[in-house]
Amino acid sequence: MTMMQRWKNRKRSHFPLLGFILLVFIACSVLFSERTILIIEKNPSDSPPERTFTYINPNLEPTSDSVQELDRFSRCNTTGEYSGKKIRWVGLEPESGGSRRKRESLERCDVFSGKWVFDDESYPLYNESDCPYMSDQLACHKHGRSDLGYQHWRWQPHNCNLKRWNAIEMWEKLRGKRLMFVGDSLNRGQWISMICLLQSVIPAEKRSITPNSQLTIFKAENYNATIEFLWAPLLVDSNSDDPVNHRLDERIIRPDSVLKHSAKWEHADILVFNTYLWWRQGPVKLLWSDQENASCEELDGLGAMELVMQTWADRLASKSKYLDKQIFFVTMSPTHL
Ligand SMILES: *[C@@H]1O[C@H](CO)[C@@H](O)[C@H](O)[C@H]1NC(C)=O
Ligand SMILES: *[C@@H]1O[C@H](CO)[C@@H](O)[C@H](O)[C@H]1NC(C)=O
Ligand SMILES: *[C@@H]1O[C@H](CO)[C@@H](O)[C@H](O)[C@H]1NC(C)=O
Ligand SMILES: *[C@@H]1O[C@H](CO)[C@@H](O)[C@H](O)[C@H]1NC(C)=O
């Protein structure tokens, strides 16, 4: 949400070369979108049929006897077409005020507008082998990558300079707080990276990490702070929520059940969500809480993602207790095999 405001506030540059590049870019996007429109018009049979939607209330029970939690052994007995059901939060929890507190812009600079620059002097900020929490999946150097230039890229906002990374300063900001990443392996990578950036200044006896589970917590006792990761690749209750065994052929979700996971992230002060790649692997089966006999509906991945993102965003907007949190959403990423 802050990102939107930042986009609007973005200053235009008067630099003529940039203006020229912008013009070329606009021309290209016009050409491109015209081509896209033409292609779409050529294949009218590809466009989805008009749908009418019905709105249902979310399943507010985090766990109940009648609604079984999904796990990797869950299966659909039958699969039908998507019925057009959506989730409605509005009116469930009337909140006073209702307007999200506007954050006074302390940083005048739009940190989202910038570029990557090669920095041979002050980067890398940590060495892979010095971080005891580095996972094998991310340890490129250990597994034979010899060019280490990729560690030297530093984000440079267009209109200001970021302060040099300082782990102690960062811990002071995190004192008494819980910083949490929620999502898939992209966010797990961000989480481990954050720990590696911060861990070296914490004495070994003051830091701990819970074993690999759905919710993994790094704790710095002397700052009473945690950096946590919740494995929830599809944000809602799904058959892929096992942190280790989740490579399944079919995705089953409970679109009306966000609470199973939100109970695990509600306590955090700073939240970083992401989800994307897991919606790109074929159709998704929807198992609504009121469906007996495991009868599912099927929806294409992006349609299902839209349904879930809407539910998630409405949930965040509907509760005043979320207003004091800082919430970020990391947008789509390429694959990282
Ligand atoms: C990383 O390792 C190199 C070479 O061993 C060393 O020169 C450098 O200071 C290290 N960087 C950090 C941030 O520890
Ligand atoms: C530690 O932080 C938590 C909030 O995460 C707070 O409730 C608790 O009182 C803090 N404990 C101390 C000893 O400061
Ligand atoms: C579930 O299956 C049982 C037995 O096959 C059947 O009697 C019942 O009507 C089914 N329920 C629904 C909601 O389809
Ligand atoms: C699947 O259907 C069969 C028979 O219709 C029923 O016995 C079984 O309980 C169903 N499975 C689930 C998970 O509901």
Side-chain angles (χ1 to χ4, degrees):
M1 287 153 218
T2 29
M3 223 156 28
M4 296 284 223
Q5 283 159 7
R6 284 190 169 127
W7 276 112
K8 273 189 221 149
N9 291 343
R10 203 170 150 187
K11 284 201 193 83
R12 287 260 146 70
S13 166
H14 299 295
F15 194 47
L17 180 63
L18 275 187
F20 175 70
I21 293 170
L22 190 69
L23 265 179
V24 172
F25 177 72
I26 289 172
C28 288
S29 20
V30 167
L31 281 176
F32 180 74
S33 55
E34 268 180 12
R35 244 181 41 202
T36 317
I37 290 166
L38 279 180
I39 291 166
I40 290 169
E41 282 172 348
K42 266 200 222 155
N43 301 305
S45 55
D46 276 356
S47 54
E50 290 281 315
R51 273 201 185 109
T52 47
F53 296 106
T54 49
Y55 288 85
I56 64 159
N57 287 335
N59 166 30
L60 284 169
E61 304 295 325
T63 48
S64 79
D65 295 340
S66 59
V67 182
Q68 254 205 314
E69 270 190 27
L70 296 176
D71 60 29
R72 63 199 171 97
F73 305 108
S74 301
R75 296 280 177 276
C76 295
N77 250 351
T78 58
T79 300
E81 268 180 41
Y82 175 50
S83 59
K85 269 192 266 191
K86 285 189 172 191
I87 296 111
R88 170 175 41 205
W89 291 95
V90 186
L92 273 179
E93 290 164 355
E95 300 287 356
S96 57
S99 65
R100 180 168 267 269
R101 174 175 51 88
K102 270 201 198 119
R103 191 177 318 188
E104 292 306 322
S105 184
L106 298 174
E107 337 92 89
R108 302 245 166 67
C109 172
D110 180 0
V111 294
F112 293 97
S113 165
K115 62 177 183 196
W116 293 100
V117 296
F118 194 78
D119 182 338
D120 227 352
E121 276 168 28
S122 52
Y123 271 55
L125 295 172
Y126 69 89
N127 285 329
E128 185 188 293
S129 56
D130 296 338
C131 180
Y133 307 101
M134 177 57 67
S135 80
D136 266 0
Q137 195 186 24
L138 303 171
C140 301
H141 194 197
K142 179 175 165 188
H143 290 284
R145 181 165 178 171
S146 54
D147 65 312
L148 297 177
Y150 67 92
Q151 300 181 335
H152 290 274
W153 292 94
R154 174 170 61 77
W155 181 249
Q156 176 65 56
H158 288 313
N159 295 315
C160 59
N161 294 316
L162 293 172
K163 274 168 93 170
R164 176 160 163 77
W165 176 262
N166 181 313
I168 302 225
E169 229 173 279
M170 180 76 176
W171 277 119
E172 285 302 337
K173 286 188 199 295
L174 290 176
R175 189 182 284 281
K177 293 209 168 76
R178 309 184 80 172
L179 162 61
M180 192 162 175
F181 294 83
V182 182
D184 61 24
S185 53
L186 172 75
N187 247 8
R188 182 164 40 207
Q190 297 294 321
W191 168 72
I192 290 181
S193 199
M194 184 65 88
I195 293 174
C196 289
L197 283 164
L198 287 168
Q199 57 87 26
S200 65
V201 299
I202 307 291
E205 72 278 7
K206 297 283 184 198
R207 55 179 140 95
S208 61
I209 194 160
T210 58
N212 194 16
S213 61
Q214 196 193 7
L215 178 62
T216 318
I217 301 172
F218 175 87
K219 196 166 179 185
E221 256 174 66
N222 46 342
Y223 287 97
N224 187 26
T226 60
I227 306 174
E228 311 180 21
F229 173 66
L230 178 68
W231 172 258
L234 298 155
L235 294 184
V236 284
D237 186 9
S238 83
N239 66 343
S240 307
D241 293 339
D242 186 301
V244 181
N245 294 310
H246 47 242
R247 294 185 189 282
L248 305 169
D249 296 337
E250 81 180 356
R251 308 254 173 281
I252 308 175
I253 60 169
R254 281 202 192 280
D256 53 345
S257 166
V258 273
L259 293 203
K260 186 189 153 202
H261 292 331
S262 67
K264 296 196 179 91
W265 52 251
E266 273 182 353
H267 61 269
D269 302 286
I270 306 160
L271 279 157
V272 183
F273 291 95
N274 99 295
T275 188
Y276 177 63
L277 283 174
W278 284 64
W279 302 101
R280 301 304 313 267
Q281 292 160 14
V284 176
K285 306 265 170 93
L286 315 177
L287 183 51
W288 298 93
S289 300
D290 60 359
Q291 286 301 308
E292 287 169 31
N293 298 342
S295 46
C296 296
E297 298 172 0
E298 192 171 271
L299 188 55
D300 63 281
L302 288 182
M305 179 178 176
E306 187 183 354
L307 177 69
V308 161
M309 290 296 297
Q310 189 72 56
T311 311
W312 167 85
D314 286 352
R315 172 75 180 166
L316 289 175
S318 72
K319 295 201 85 169
S320 59
K321 72 169 161 180
Y322 297 142
L323 294 185
D324 287 333
K325 297 184 190 303
Q326 290 190 36
I327 299 169
F328 299 88
F329 184 79
V330 181
T331 51
M332 63 179 85
S333 68
T335 55
H336 55 103
L337 299 174

